Amino acid sequence: LRRKFKSKLVVYVHHTFHTYRTYKQGMWISISLLTEKISLFLCKKADLIFVYNDEHKKDLISKGFKSQRILTTGNGVEHEFIESVKLKMHEFDGCFCGALDKMKGVYDLLDLWEIVLRRSPKSKLVIIGNGPEYDRLLGIIRKKELEKNILLMGYLPEEQKISAMKSSKVFIFPSYEEGWGISITEAMACGLAVVCYNLDAYKVFGNSIIRIEIANKQSMAKVVSDLLNDKTKLADAALRAKEATKDMSWDNIASEELKEIIKN
């Protein structure tokens, strides 16, 4: 198509597989790895490639891509939409939003919330999203009789999702692998304190979020519990998060990307 229309080929690479995903076996993961290799092979001739952090850039360079064709961009937030959403839900203490998949740390989420409940037995966690682990998660919640403390809401339309976020205090995201962290960005714009695992993709957020050693559920639970029991600390973390998203405008990002596309 590029040759036919004599146009530029611009590619966005949001994410690539990493070696620690190889614990997954079977036909589907093999197909995913194969299609990624084919895609990346085709992308090598692109005029310009946008990635979302320096780790992605290094990863592509290690795969044989030319560094001068790779530029780091960002993701934006729908500020006007988020500000327009009204609170229509009961207040929650914790919130998670994402695919209900093992790599998103959904079972870590249940474990650490049980630890939080030892200190604050009435705390409520809302889980937003759908995925392959939904039924099993629901079964565990029922088996442990945690229905009053953990609300599994499934998929929600955008307005309801944002309303649920804005009705919460702390956004908890124990994901093991992210290309950027769209849910985190939205939670920050909603004015939530964010606690997550310390992934390379989150370096862009600096100290506006609280990063915990990967897989350290005890430490994450303690930080979440401390925030919920200290209003000043919670307010400070929430303010830092919201302030950090002010410059994350889609208009700014689109404008900068267009300049690079024209220039290259």
Side-chain angles (χ1 to χ4, degrees), residues 29-180:
I29 192 65
S30 298
I31 291 172
S32 296
L33 289 167
L34 177 61
T35 54
E36 179 180 272
K37 285 183 179 180
I38 294 170
S39 299
L40 291 175
F41 174 77
L42 294 171
C43 290
K44 279 186 178 178
K45 293 182 182 288
D47 297 284
L48 192 62
I49 299 170
F50 285 114
V51 295
Y52 290 91
N53 58 58
D54 291 335
E55 295 303 315
H56 285 162
K57 185 173 182 176
K58 291 175 185 176
D59 186 38
L60 291 181
I61 292 170
S62 72
K63 288 178 168 63
F65 283 74
K66 294 180 179 179
S67 61
Q68 64 269 25
R69 292 184 183 177
I70 307 171
L71 293 175
T72 304
T73 184
N75 275 310
V77 183
E78 297 283 356
H79 288 288
E80 289 184 10
F81 170 70
I82 289 174
E83 291 299 324
S84 72
V85 174
K86 307 298 181 184
L87 300 181
K88 297 178 182 178
M89 299 190 179
H90 298 296
E91 190 175 84
F92 304 108
D93 297 287
C95 176
F96 169 93
C97 180
L100 302 187
D101 181 90
K102 288 181 181 178
M103 286 305 293
K104 293 292 184 181
V106 290
Y107 294 109
D108 288 24
L109 184 67
L110 296 190
D111 292 341
L112 70 89
W113 197 253
E114 283 192 277
I115 299 171
V116 171
L117 289 173
R118 293 172 194 166
R119 184 173 172 185
S120 306
K122 293 183 179 181
S123 296
K124 291 184 179 181
L125 169 69
V126 60
I127 300 176
I128 306 164
N130 213 334
E133 303 302 319
Y134 182 93
D135 291 335
R136 189 177 174 212
L137 282 171
L138 184 59
I140 293 173
I141 292 168
R142 287 174 175 171
K143 185 178 180 181
K144 294 187 175 184
E145 298 181 347
L146 292 171
E147 295 99 321
K148 291 182 179 180
N149 300 103
I150 302 177
L151 181 60
L152 192 58
M153 300 192 76
Y155 167 80
L156 290 179
E158 282 298 298
E159 187 171 342
Q160 291 181 39
K161 180 189 80 174
I162 296 300
S163 180
M165 281 188 177
K166 292 176 79 170
S167 301
S168 306
K169 298 175 182 176
V170 181
F171 189 76
I172 310 164
F173 205 62
S175 179
Y176 283 80
E177 184 177 334
E178 291 295 320
W180 170 271

Side-chain angles (χ1 to χ4, degrees), residues 159-263:
E159 187 171 342
Q160 291 181 39
K161 180 189 80 174
I162 296 300
S163 180
M165 281 188 177
K166 292 176 79 170
S167 301
S168 306
K169 298 175 182 176
V170 181
F171 189 76
I172 310 164
F173 205 62
S175 179
Y176 283 80
E177 184 177 334
E178 291 295 320
W180 170 271
I182 289 291
S183 293
I184 284 181
T185 314
E186 290 177 339
M188 292 166 68
C190 287
L192 274 68
V194 174
V195 183
C196 56
Y197 285 151
N198 189 16
L199 305 185
D200 288 332
Y202 302 154
K203 287 179 181 178
V204 66
F205 301 125
N207 66 353
S208 61
I209 61 175
I210 302 169
R211 290 176 283 180
I212 307 296
E213 178 188 12
I214 295 174
N216 194 335
K217 294 178 282 187
Q218 290 281 348
S219 180
M220 181 173 274
K222 184 180 184 306
V223 169
V224 170
S225 186
D226 287 346
L227 286 170
L228 293 176
N229 287 279
D230 188 328
K231 291 183 179 180
T232 301
K233 188 181 290 186
L234 178 65
D236 288 344
L239 182 61
R240 283 201 312 274
K242 190 163 187 175
E243 288 289 318
T245 66
K246 283 187 174 180
D247 294 328
M248 294 181 184
S249 159
W250 283 118
D251 288 340
N252 293 340
I253 291 167
S255 178
E256 291 302 315
E257 287 179 358
L258 182 58
K259 287 178 185 176
E260 295 296 340
I261 291 169
I262 293 170
K263 185 168 66 176

